[in-house]
Amino acid sequence: MSTVKEFRFGFSGNALDVDKLVDEAVRAERVGFDVFQIIDFAGTLSPLVALAAVARATSKIKLGPFVLNTALWNPVTVCRDLATLDRISNGRLEIALGSGISLPDTRGLMPQTRDERFNRLQETVAAIKATVAEPGITPGFVQRPRLAIAGTVDRALKLAAEEADTFLIASVPPVPKAEGLASYEVIPERAATAKYLDRLRDHAGARADLLEIGTSASVILTDDTDAALAELAKTHIYLSPEQIFESPKMLVGSLEQVTDQIIRRRTDLGITYQSLRAPTPEELAPVIDAVKSKSSDDRRPA
């Protein structure tokens, strides 16, 4: 029988301004987030350099890129940066990796084919494992960092099933074409996600119960759920308002509704790691408190 995993919550910080990033990290730690994250996109702060500043200003919260675009990094030398960040943070690093998306700003800087980008992801995973065993050119990790892998296609599922502590839902195939939206902005439908995660667990076999399942989700707390869903449906025209409400990458509604959504997705889909997006950490503090309180209540014997 599988063990019920505890919820963990990440906050995605400001990737453009280091002072705002550090301030958000301090506040996220204060209100109870477990992990502080920064994206790895062209034109934003370099996540590993910026998180070094965050590490010096915080003491408990885990930190890491969400996710590191491995197609832009040398697998061996990035391990030195990762291990250095782990040292600066006294062992608080969590590593999340993805094979990268070919966008206009970075297309000429990364491997051109999906096969080449996936190979780079594999090489990075192997380099991290090797560094844990033997530091090489790096200062070495304080301890083995938690490793997350994000992906869409089956080979990414297999890699995560074999090597990762956490699998992060990126997109769920088949990803519909939506005018005005990049593929990573398309949100998946719930039933398709359930089938997708079943494949992950099939690949994981005996490791299935060890894998943490995570996703990122935009949070919209509102007293008018129907109006918020109707507005979202103007952008996400490939889903109905009801499907948007059920998508694992959206959390929309009252505090009670959002709390119930998070808890139900642990029961139905096994998702226990939520990277939440909202303007401030404080807006999301009631969500964290409500989920942990209700989850604890649900576990108490009658």
Side-chain angles (χ1 to χ4, degrees):
M1 185 176 179
S2 63
T3 302
V4 177
K5 294 181 177 62
E6 296 292 335
F7 286 107
R8 297 200 310 141
F9 294 95
F11 185 82
S12 186
N14 188 300
L16 299 173
D17 184 290
V18 70
D19 290 331
K20 291 179 180 178
L21 182 79
V22 171
D23 179 61
E24 285 179 339
V26 171
R27 289 155 53 204
E29 181 174 73
R30 186 183 304 134
V31 302
F33 277 91
D34 301 287
V35 189
F36 187 78
Q37 306 149 343
I38 181 172
I39 60 173
D40 184 16
F41 278 5
T44 63
L45 298 169
S46 173
L48 305 185
V49 177
L51 285 170
V54 169
R56 304 303 286 180
T58 56
S59 60
K60 296 181 297 182
I61 196 167
K62 301 283 188 178
L63 46 86
F66 194 93
V67 299
L68 196 71
N69 179 352
T70 58
L72 292 174
W73 298 81
N74 178 291
V76 176
T77 57
V78 77
C79 287
R80 182 169 64 174
D81 291 343
L82 289 167
T84 299
L85 180 54
D86 192 52
R87 291 274 169 185
I88 292 170
S89 67
N90 194 28
R92 288 185 285 136
L93 176 67
E94 293 198 1
I95 305 171
L97 306 175
S99 59
I101 301 167
S102 183
L103 298 174
D105 288 340
T106 55
R107 195 162 290 145
L109 304 175
M110 56 198 292
Q112 296 302 297
T113 70
R114 291 179 180 177
D115 287 346
E116 290 173 318
R117 292 194 293 274
F118 182 74
N119 289 341
R120 181 72 61 83
L121 172 62
Q122 288 181 301
E123 290 166 5
T124 305
V125 171
I128 291 168
K129 287 182 66 179
T131 300
V132 170
E134 176 57 52
I137 67 168
T138 84
F141 294 106
V142 175
Q143 56 193 355
R144 186 183 75 84
R146 189 173 191 90
L147 177 64
I149 294 175
T152 299
V153 297
D154 256 50
R155 59 186 174 181
L157 297 185
K158 290 178 182 178
L159 182 63
E162 294 168 358
E163 304 289 357
D165 301 296
T166 302
F167 175 72
L168 300 171
I169 300 169
S171 299
V172 174
V175 181
K177 298 291 185 183
E179 187 175 349
L181 291 178
S183 60
Y184 63 86
E185 296 173 307
V186 175
I187 59 175
E189 187 263 337
R190 185 210 165 281
T193 303
K195 293 178 181 177
Y196 175 70
L197 292 176
D198 284 344
R199 294 206 306 277
L200 171 71
R201 295 183 182 103
D202 286 343
H203 292 314
R207 289 193 76 237
D209 285 345
L210 301 177
L211 271 177
E212 178 185 58
I213 308 298
T215 188
S216 60
S218 296
V219 182
I220 301 174
L221 291 170
T222 177
D223 293 328
D224 193 341
T225 305
D226 289 342
L229 291 171
E231 189 63 29
L232 287 166
K234 295 177 183 177
T235 300
H236 300 283
I237 58 173
Y238 49 91
L239 296 179
S240 68
E242 292 77 14
Q243 289 173 318
I244 293 171
F245 184 75
E246 293 293 336
S247 173
K249 294 182 82 72
M250 289 298 306
L251 290 164
V252 184
S254 66
L255 175 60
E256 183 178 3
Q257 286 177 308
V258 167
T259 300
D260 287 344
Q261 285 172 330
I262 291 172
I263 292 174
R264 189 169 66 251
R265 288 170 192 172
R266 177 173 69 178
T267 302
D268 295 347
L269 299 172
I271 297 171
T272 56
Y273 180 30
Q274 297 272 355
S275 173
L276 304 180
R277 296 194 301 273
T280 70
E282 290 79 7
E283 287 183 43
L284 298 172
V287 175
I288 296 174
D289 292 342
V291 169
K292 292 188 175 181
S293 175
K294 184 166 184 179
S295 178
S296 177
D297 289 344
D298 289 345
R299 289 185 179 191
R300 292 197 183 105

